[in-house]
Amino acid sequence: MLPLSLLRTAQGHPMLVELKNGETYNGHLVSCDNWMNISLREVICTSRDGDRFWRLPEVVIRGNNIKYLRIPEEVIDMVPEEDLSKTKSAGGKGDGRGRGGNRGRGDGRGAR
């Protein structure tokens, strides 16, 4: 199971997000992108020390600030199985010599 497929499956479901700074956000996932930036609606934000709360209509969280996500178990069971053999064989189309082909150090002039 890939993390982004899990997030895409979780759209519309409740989740908890804890940030690296300790703040937590409880809300319903609206959307996510390839960098794990997420948008939540109907959010309750809790301060890092847990003594202050805010109700917010919508929040956008940058993916690199996320420490962890808590997603309901039933959402995890709904994630479709992905064929990983397709993704692994798609890359590496070349012969392993990089972009330059035979034009690198070590060939020298007239080495053929």
Side-chain angles (χ1 to χ4, degrees):
M1 170 184 342
L2 298 173
L4 288 176
S5 62
L6 174 62
L7 276 179
R8 289 190 180 104
T9 304
Q11 288 181 354
H13 292 85
M15 66 178 350
L16 176 134
V17 180
E18 183 170 335
L19 303 185
K20 292 177 184 176
N21 68 4
E23 293 178 349
T24 61
Y25 292 84
N26 276 295
H28 289 80
L29 181 64
V30 175
S31 63
C32 65
D33 64 12
N34 290 338
W35 296 272
M36 211 179 286
N37 300 322
I38 62 172
S39 175
L40 300 172
R41 65 176 163 76
E42 301 171 9
V43 179
I44 297 176
C45 174
T46 306
S47 64
R48 63 186 304 168
D49 48 2
D51 64 348
R52 290 176 298 197
F53 303 92
W54 298 272
R55 185 178 299 272
L56 305 166
E58 188 174 12
V59 172
V60 176
I61 300 172
R62 186 173 164 144
N64 69 336
N65 292 321
I66 296 174
K67 183 176 183 181
Y68 74 86
L69 304 166
R70 179 175 288 170
I71 298 172
E73 192 71 34
E74 63 268 11
V75 173
I76 295 171
D77 296 335
M78 293 173 16
V79 178
E81 292 296 322
E82 296 186 17
D83 187 5
L84 296 178
S85 62
K86 289 181 185 176
T87 59
K88 288 182 181 178
S89 64
K93 296 175 187 169
D95 56 6
R97 292 184 287 168
R99 290 181 61 189
N102 288 331
R103 298 175 294 152
R105 290 187 170 156
D107 283 342
R109 289 183 168 231
R112 294 188 181 215

